[in-house]
Amino acid sequence: MSRQPLPEIPHEVSSNPLVSVDTSDGSGKDDSGIETTEVAIAPVSRSEPIVTRKELWSYYLYYNGDNGVGPNGYSMTLFQSLATAAGYDPVKGPGSDCSASDASGQCVLPWAGGTKAVSSVVLVANGVSFAVMTLIFTTIGSAADYGSFGRWLLLILTVICWGAQFASMSLTSPDRWGVAMALYMIGFVTYGATLVFYAAVFPRLARNTPHARTLREKYERGEISAEEYEVEESLEKNRISNISTMHSNVGYIVTLALNLSLLLPREKDPKVNNYVLVLTNGYWVLLGIWWFIFQQPRPGPTLPKGEHYLTIGWKQIWIALKQYKKLPYTFIYLVAFFLLADGLNTTGTLVSICQNDKFNFSFLQNTYLGLSQAITSTISTLGFWYIQKYWKISTKRMFVVTNVVTILIPLWGMIGIWTTKFGFHNVWEFWAYNVMFGLFQAPYYAFSQTMMAELTPPGFDNMVCPVVFSLTVTLTLTMFTFVQFFGLFGLSNRASSMIGPNVIQAIIDRTGDNWKGFPFLFALCTAASIVIWFGVDVTTGRRDAVAWAEKHRSYAETGVYTEEDAVPQKPKKL
């Protein structure tokens, strides 16, 4: 039987009796104060093409190649290795070897007229990179919302990242550690940006899969209830998110396995690490190019008259400040996730620094450890998805499980302050860390993305709209970050780590001890997780987001935001 086209509903609430839009203040009560069980269903537009098999597979394959092995792993190892080789032991003075058998364990580089620990230099590179990402997302992130610019933006960022990775062939001696730092930062910034603009495609893609469209048709024909549709639509989002995450993990495994074909036979070759980076990047090029070929056009509105791509995002910020009361759970989640991602990202960087020191910057050992993480990540992503689908467990509950391990990682590192028996001092601990990270943190990324999709107003997936966060770093330091709905999620996930690296590098510079950074990260992750666990109601937040989007539905088509609310139909109780 051929599928009937969906009715286009951009300017009116569906007349289906099962549709209801929650116009309350989020308390779950109607105007009379009576408790209701209303379900808000987002309107859809038939102008968006149905996702084809080629398009969906090209979406998965892009993430398969964009797995982070190069820009997020090997590049940092190569940078830290060259910086360490160029540095000296501060106890023995200039000219000493940081890798000598009798070295003190500290290593510094000339920096701004003085010296700075190599670990701090790496963290500074990360902090600056995250700050640049923030500038990108707040300035040109809005451009992705208008016309087809988002498609070209992702392509340009991807090509720049590919170029930085291929340029790593020039990093062959310690005196080029500065160039290594620059290439690492360029690659890391563009890699993080590709993940954000790639992820921003996800909600619209998930809403237009054949299964999602079929569900919608059944709902509009009255064959399934609004509650059932809401649950099944959420599961479809989780399916796409988990499969794409699985592909990233599969790509991680394949890339690392391919690299062994170079690392094992050419272990003594001084340029083998450079060759490995080229091979890793070539894999991404081969798999990633198809997304730009098979992606179907789903353009946003044209740029409003008199506006410019580089300024419209900043003009929207003031509007964003006034939305937090209308979308409380969306904003609570974004603030908490901002801090959680900051803690997790910085924890991963700090553990990687300790791991590189422990294994003497060996690409081969890091490849073995990466394989253990990639294999367990793939297994856990499929396992978590099966568990969620079989028992129909909510996204938030699955996310909470992954948060527990997020807290335990820096807690384990804290132990290393007081003893060398535990706390990332031993080889076996890094194996255990990579296995545990794979088992629980791969699903973490999938579920965090789905939660953001649930709390994002439909049609505003990329829109530069909310918020300014005032985040107290210490009693005297406050940082402000401008963000956007789904772009804000990417900012929270990829560009949030401006706090952690700067605080941790200051601690390491002052103490000379990498492990002294873990207590701050433990406190950051714990506080953020508690807020998500007890302060975010995903169901109510989703309904608030749909109702908000319905009131401002003209923005999704015109790109012009107004404070005038549309007058929706009186919601019908179920």
Side-chain angles (χ1 to χ4, degrees):
M1 181 182 296
S2 61
R3 180 181 290 106
Q4 296 297 317
L6 289 174
E8 189 166 359
I9 329 175
H11 292 297
E12 60 180 335
V13 179
S14 171
S15 60
N16 187 296
L18 291 177
V19 175
S20 62
V21 178
D22 187 355
T23 58
S24 70
D25 59 2
S27 64
K29 297 179 180 181
D30 61 18
D31 296 335
S32 64
I34 300 174
E35 197 78 23
T36 66
T37 57
E38 295 167 1
V39 178
I41 302 298
V44 295
S45 173
R46 68 184 179 199
S47 63
E48 294 183 357
I50 295 177
V51 177
T52 65
R53 185 177 181 83
K54 285 183 178 179
E55 182 181 24
L56 189 58
W57 269 97
S58 67
Y59 181 78
Y60 293 149
L61 289 176
Y62 181 92
Y63 206 15
N64 189 303
D66 193 12
N67 51 57
V69 171
N72 198 35
Y74 286 149
S75 289
M76 192 185 98
T77 300
L78 184 59
F79 160 40
Q80 187 182 347
S81 174
L82 293 177
T84 301
Y88 63 88
D89 188 336
V91 176
K92 295 187 175 183
S96 58
D97 186 355
C98 293
S99 301
S101 58
D102 59 345
S104 68
Q106 300 181 54
C107 191
V108 298
L109 283 164
W111 185 272
T115 61
K116 185 176 279 291
V118 170
S119 297
S120 294
V121 172
V122 175
L123 287 165
V124 165
N126 274 266
V128 172
S129 296
F130 287 123
V132 173
M133 285 188 218
T134 301
L135 183 63
I136 290 174
F137 300 148
T138 53
T139 303
I140 66 172
S142 61
D145 304 326
Y146 298 96
S148 299
F149 190 76
R151 183 174 185 171
W152 293 107
L153 185 60
L154 179 59
L155 175 61
I156 291 169
L157 290 167
T158 301
V159 170
I160 293 174
C161 190
W162 288 346
Q165 293 293 285
F166 282 134
S168 296
M169 274 302 299
S170 66
L171 306 175
T172 55
S173 60
D175 64 322
R176 296 183 181 178
W177 72 267
V179 179
M181 181 178 182
L183 289 177
Y184 166 66
M185 291 171 66
I186 293 171
F188 190 60
V189 166
T190 50
Y191 161 70
T194 62
L195 293 183
V196 170
F197 292 113
Y198 165 87
V201 178
F202 161 70
R204 208 169 271 189
L205 203 69
R207 285 199 300 269
N208 288 288
T209 62
H211 181 62
R213 287 290 190 93
T214 300
L215 283 173
R216 183 71 187 211
E217 290 170 2
K218 288 182 177 179
Y219 161 72
E220 292 181 345
R221 291 196 298 264
E223 296 176 11
I224 58 176
S225 68
E227 291 95 335
E228 184 179 356
Y229 172 79
E230 190 175 37
V231 170
E232 292 298 328
E233 185 193 42
S234 177
L235 287 173
E236 176 68 355
K237 290 176 183 175
N238 274 287
R239 183 181 74 87
I240 302 296
S241 181
N242 277 279
I243 291 176
S244 65
T245 302
M246 182 201 68
H247 269 277
S248 178
N249 295 325
V250 169
Y252 206 89
I253 294 173
V254 174
T255 301
L256 293 172
L258 283 174
N259 291 338
L260 290 177
S261 67
L262 282 175
L263 288 168
L264 291 175
R266 305 181 69 90
E267 185 177 1
K268 303 301 182 182
D269 189 330
K271 293 185 179 180
V272 65
N273 293 345
N274 307 83
Y275 298 148
V276 164
L277 269 168
V278 170
L279 178 61
T280 299
N281 199 48
Y283 179 82
W284 181 11
V285 173
L286 181 63
L287 271 67
I289 195 66
W290 303 108
W291 171 243
F292 303 105
I293 296 173
F294 293 119
Q295 179 186 9
Q296 295 189 87
R298 295 183 181 88
T302 57
L303 191 69
K305 187 177 181 179
E307 298 293 349
H308 192 278
Y309 286 114
L310 296 179
T311 59
I312 190 168
W314 295 99
K315 291 182 179 180
Q316 298 277 0
I317 288 172
W318 176 245
I319 297 172
L321 294 174
K322 297 182 282 187
Q323 305 307 315
Y324 73 95
K325 288 184 179 179
K326 301 173 184 176
L327 299 166
Y329 293 116
T330 302
F331 278 72
I332 290 172
Y333 175 69
L334 287 169
V335 173
F337 188 76
F338 180 96
L339 296 173
L340 181 63
D342 190 329
L344 178 61
N345 290 338
T346 309
T347 298
T349 301
L350 188 54
V351 174
S352 294
I353 289 171
C354 296
Q355 179 176 297
N356 285 332
D357 285 335
K358 186 67 178 178
F359 292 99
N360 296 317
F361 315 104
S362 169
F363 268 40
L364 182 59
Q365 289 298 323
N366 282 337
T367 298
Y368 288 142
L369 291 167
L371 278 169
S372 69
Q373 183 182 130
I375 293 170
T376 51
S377 293
T378 304
I379 294 172
S380 68
T381 301
L382 293 172
F384 270 74
W385 164 238
Y386 176 80
I387 291 170
Q388 183 187 30
K389 182 179 180 181
Y390 186 83
W391 280 285
K392 295 190 182 296
I393 303 173
S394 70
T395 300
K396 180 183 174 181
R397 289 184 180 178
M398 301 297 290
F399 189 44
V400 165
V401 173
T402 68
N403 290 166
V404 173
V405 176
T406 302
I407 294 172
L408 291 179
I409 293 172
L411 177 62
W412 187 265
M414 281 176 57
I415 300 173
I417 298 174
W418 303 287
T419 179
T420 58
K421 293 182 178 179
F422 304 102
F424 298 121
H425 287 289
N426 307 289
V427 170
W428 69 267
E429 289 179 287
F430 292 104
W431 280 100
Y433 161 76
N434 279 277
V435 170
M436 292 299 294
F437 193 96
L439 287 174
F440 291 94
Q441 296 313 120
Y444 158 94
Y445 290 110
F447 293 126
S448 65
Q449 176 174 273
T450 305
M451 277 191 64
M452 189 62 248
E454 295 282 2
L455 295 168
T456 298
F460 293 75
D461 308 312
N462 273 327
M463 300 300 179
V464 179
C465 248
V467 63
V468 174
F469 293 141
S470 177
L471 301 173
T472 302
V473 181
T474 63
L475 293 176
T476 59
L477 176 62
T478 301
M479 301 188 70
F480 294 93
T481 302
F482 304 101
V483 282
Q484 52 196 6
F485 278 125
F486 213 90
L488 168 55
F489 166 71
L491 177 63
S492 299
N493 190 16
R494 302 308 313 173
S496 61
S497 299
M498 296 180 296
I499 300 174
N502 288 296
V503 173
I504 301 306
Q505 69 89 13
I507 293 172
I508 292 174
D509 260 353
R510 187 178 69 250
T511 65
D513 187 347
N514 291 343
W515 281 260
K516 291 293 179 65
F518 284 113
F520 173 80
L521 296 172
F522 170 69
L524 195 63
C525 291
T526 301
S529 294
I530 289 173
V531 171
I532 291 174
W533 297 350
F534 301 105
V536 178
D537 184 331
V538 178
T539 301
T540 302
R542 179 183 187 277
R543 295 170 186 176
D544 287 345
V546 171
W548 187 91
E550 179 61 26
K551 290 181 179 180
H552 303 289
R553 54 185 171 257
S554 64
Y555 179 69
E557 294 201 344
T558 66
V560 178
Y561 182 92
T562 67
E563 292 295 332
E564 297 179 4
D565 291 344
V567 181
Q569 295 180 2
K570 184 67 177 178
K572 296 177 172 62
K573 299 181 181 61
L574 300 176

